[in-house]
Amino acid sequence: MSNLYIVATPIGNLEDITLRALSVLKEVSLIASEDTRTTAHLLKHYSIKTPLTSYFEHNKQSKTCYLLDKLEEGNVALVSEAGMPAISDPGYELVVAAQQRGYNVVPIPGASAFIAALSVSGLPTDACHYLGFLPRKAGERRRLLESVAQERVTLAAYEAPHRLLVALHDILQVLGNRRMAVCRELTKLHEEVFRGTVEEAIAHFTQPRGELTIIIDGCTEKTLTLDACDIVSRLRGLKQSGVPMREALSQLAQEIGIPRRELYREWLKLK
């Protein structure tokens, strides 16, 4: 029975690949790649001449049957553009289909951007909620953040550089001014690990570039145990002081880490 190998590849530095991964890539009959140009560069660097075929988000449905047929002839390796396939990258459907056909699905572990970022973030690593790529639309992104606002574990996510600042503002508004790390271009020439608060990150990243991983501190004990009467009292004080609703909710949400949606409900109850 043939094997489908799920092979991790470097996230930047070409030396971050295991000896086992190189051996597998040399020995399989075919490599399915999310980005054949990136993979071709890696294979050339290590003098690997295994044939390549594309397997990415927009052809994965049609290519799955093709790759299953290839598995009848021999072993196949799946690689993504960088990191571990099927982790916020194409591969899940192929893994399921191969298992259903009775093929062995074998992980060849290695580099992973969010694991690397978490390890150097300076935030708790005993538990983590991996969110994948944050939604592109603002409303969906805020709803996702609100759904994890009360979680005490560290949060990890990917974000594109052109959306980083709007995402940071949403994080500030929904989760509050928490500790965080923003890791940019990990393992590459211009690697940067920023550690600070959300507000400090907003001030720091004026024109962000490169691949970004965001690590956010979980909800603190202080936030979880905050007395409901105290929250209402704070809201009432802001309202009586003439602070507009939007400004009052944003101010309190940033300060105590309670989602604006919950504060809005309490605001409406005020007389």
Side-chain angles (χ1 to χ4, degrees), residues 13 38 102 112 197 232 264:
N13 193 312
T38 299
S112 172
T197 66
V232 173
Y264 176 69

Side-chain angles (χ1 to χ4, degrees), residues 130-221:
Y130 171 61
L131 302 174
F133 283 95
L134 293 177
R136 297 183 179 186
K137 295 182 179 180
E140 294 178 4
R141 185 168 54 244
R142 292 188 192 114
R143 284 192 290 274
L144 173 63
L145 293 171
E146 288 173 355
S147 72
V148 298
Q150 299 301 313
E151 292 194 11
R152 300 179 65 177
V153 301
T154 303
L155 306 174
Y158 294 138
E159 187 53 284
H162 62 281
R163 289 194 299 270
L164 177 64
L165 286 176
V166 294
L168 288 175
H169 280 285
D170 284 344
I171 291 168
L172 180 63
Q173 184 180 40
V174 176
L175 302 182
N177 193 29
R178 300 186 183 185
R179 294 185 302 154
M180 73 177 311
V182 179
C183 301
R184 186 176 70 85
E185 293 288 86
L186 286 174
T187 78
K188 300 178 183 177
L189 180 62
H190 300 291
E191 176 180 278
E192 177 185 12
V193 179
F194 169 86
R195 302 177 186 89
T197 66
V198 182
E199 289 181 344
E200 290 169 343
I202 291 171
H204 178 77
F205 289 99
T206 54
Q207 292 181 318
R209 295 181 179 180
E211 302 290 333
L212 297 162
T213 306
I214 301 171
I215 309 294
I216 310 167
D217 199 9
C219 187
T220 64
E221 186 71 27

Side-chain angles (χ1 to χ4, degrees), residues 85-115:
I87 307 300
S88 292
D89 279 326
Y92 165 74
E93 293 86 355
L94 180 59
V95 167
V96 172
Q99 290 172 340
Q100 290 175 341
R101 288 277 190 98
Y103 295 112
N104 299 316
V105 180
V106 182
I108 310 296
S112 172
F114 95 85
I115 294 296

Side-chain angles (χ1 to χ4, degrees), residues 1-138:
M1 181 64 69
S2 298
N3 295 329
L4 171 65
Y5 292 102
I6 310 302
V7 183
T9 54
I11 58 175
N13 193 312
L14 292 182
E15 295 182 3
D16 291 333
I17 190 167
T18 67
L19 295 175
R20 186 184 179 203
L22 292 175
S23 177
V24 166
L25 293 177
K26 289 177 182 177
E27 294 172 1
V28 295
S29 60
L30 181 68
I31 299 172
S33 168
E34 180 187 14
D35 188 321
T36 55
R37 291 171 299 180
T38 299
T39 305
H41 178 64
L42 174 68
L43 298 184
K44 181 179 180 181
H45 183 80
Y46 286 103
S47 301
I48 297 173
K49 303 184 183 301
T50 306
L52 272 175
T53 188
S54 65
Y55 179 83
F56 56 94
E57 186 64 30
H58 300 295
N59 79 347
K60 63 185 181 183
Q61 299 298 333
S62 60
K63 267 302 180 66
T64 295
C65 290
Y66 170 78
L67 293 174
L68 291 175
D69 290 340
K70 286 297 181 181
L71 278 167
E72 292 184 6
E73 303 171 9
N75 296 330
V76 173
L78 173 67
V79 300
S80 59
E81 182 177 2
M84 196 71 190
I87 307 300
S88 292
D89 279 326
Y92 165 74
E93 293 86 355
L94 180 59
V95 167
V96 172
Q99 290 172 340
Q100 290 175 341
R101 288 277 190 98
Y103 295 112
N104 299 316
V105 180
V106 182
I108 310 296
S112 172
F114 95 85
I115 294 296
L118 180 64
S119 71
V120 298
S121 67
L123 296 171
T125 58
D126 56 325
C128 173
H129 186 160
Y130 171 61
L131 302 174
F133 283 95
L134 293 177
R136 297 183 179 186
K137 295 182 179 180

